[in-house]
Amino acid sequence: LSNLKKKIADSNIKASINGKIVKLNVNEGQYPSMESSILIQDTSNMILELKVNQYDAVNLKLGQKAKITVNGLDKEYEGQITKISETAAIEVVSTGKEINVLTEITIDNPDELLKAGYVADAEIILSEKTDTIAISYEAVQSDENGNKYIFVVEDNIAKKRIVETGLETDFEIEILSGLKKGEKYITYPPVGLMDGETVMTTGGI
């Protein structure tokens, strides 16, 4: 009798997580086989797995924020990097070899629309600043001495001004010094524009 009671106690298995049963290949009253399984998913904790190439992975840090878009869903989710693999993996592709680092992003605001197994993209914010001046990337040029400069407009006169830059994106560049908030600058300075030339403002800055 004690042996039977022990077997009954051992057959009472409790899941270590809270979640939803998403797979159940056993039936009530049926003797389970070795292949029988119950799959439970904790949908309150959704993780996006990314393979990040080596050139981008060197800039990743734990805690960096990310914006996630899921194929087919017209909504943007937020998350942060919670795991970066200690080793890189070499994968053979049609063009040769790729070196990727497995990275995990925990989604901060999951909802019932998200399903495990969905395909998603993530835009990782490597660095972030607020209350700063950022201008069009094409507005910044470099002279023969390596100094960066822009053309500001004062009374319809283009004036060359040396600037110090900071963070850069694909479209904008941060100006640390050399330009004040509210000043007008030439977004796409024409080739050959000289300091002191007269210019005309036609909408925008």
Side-chain angles (χ1 to χ4, degrees):
L1 182 62
S2 60
N3 186 42
L4 290 175
K5 288 182 178 180
K6 183 178 184 304
K7 287 184 177 180
I8 293 174
D10 291 342
S11 65
N12 185 13
I13 302 173
K14 185 177 181 180
S16 59
I17 62 170
N18 295 323
K20 295 180 180 179
I21 297 178
V22 296
K23 181 181 178 182
L24 178 64
N25 60 353
V26 293
N27 298 319
E28 183 178 358
Q30 178 184 1
Y31 191 82
S33 65
M34 294 295 294
E35 292 76 24
S36 300
S37 63
I38 300 175
L39 181 60
I40 300 176
Q41 290 181 348
D42 179 9
T43 54
S44 64
N45 185 28
M46 303 291 282
I47 294 176
L48 174 63
E49 289 187 344
L50 298 174
K51 292 181 180 179
V52 183
N53 66 61
Q54 177 180 344
Y55 298 100
D56 294 328
V58 294
N59 297 313
L60 297 183
K61 296 179 181 178
L62 293 177
Q64 286 175 329
K65 298 179 181 179
K67 298 178 181 178
I68 300 110
T69 54
V70 181
N71 294 0
L73 297 181
D74 187 19
K75 180 179 180 180
E76 185 176 83
Y77 297 87
E78 297 178 352
Q80 57 181 318
I81 296 177
T82 51
K83 183 178 180 181
I84 303 173
S85 177
E86 295 292 336
T87 59
I90 301 177
E91 297 185 19
V92 179
V93 296
S94 58
T95 56
K97 294 182 179 179
E98 285 186 357
I99 301 178
N100 296 314
V101 176
L102 184 63
T103 303
E104 291 185 359
I105 296 176
T106 299
I107 300 176
D108 297 331
N109 55 337
D111 56 24
E112 68 280 357
L113 298 176
L114 283 178
K115 307 293 183 184
Y118 274 3
V119 177
D121 294 316
E123 178 183 341
I124 300 174
I125 302 173
L126 300 179
S127 54
E128 186 177 27
K129 282 189 177 181
T130 59
D131 194 23
T132 187
I133 297 176
I135 66 174
S136 171
Y137 194 90
E138 290 80 5
V140 181
Q141 302 183 65
S142 299
D143 59 22
E144 61 277 5
N145 297 319
N147 297 316
K148 294 183 178 180
Y149 67 93
I150 62 173
F151 284 102
V152 296
V153 179
E154 298 179 1
D155 299 325
N156 292 332
I157 301 297
K159 294 188 176 181
K160 179 180 176 180
R161 187 180 296 175
I162 302 296
V163 294
E164 181 184 358
T165 61
L167 295 179
E168 299 182 10
T169 70
D170 292 336
F171 307 102
E172 294 181 325
I173 183 168
E174 179 190 14
I175 302 298
L176 300 175
S177 63
L179 181 68
K180 296 180 181 179
K181 186 177 180 179
E183 286 188 304
K184 294 182 178 180
Y185 69 94
I186 300 177
T187 307
Y188 300 96
V191 178
L193 180 64
M194 302 295 293
D195 184 28
E197 286 191 29
T198 300
V199 295
M200 182 179 296
T201 302
T202 57
I205 55 175

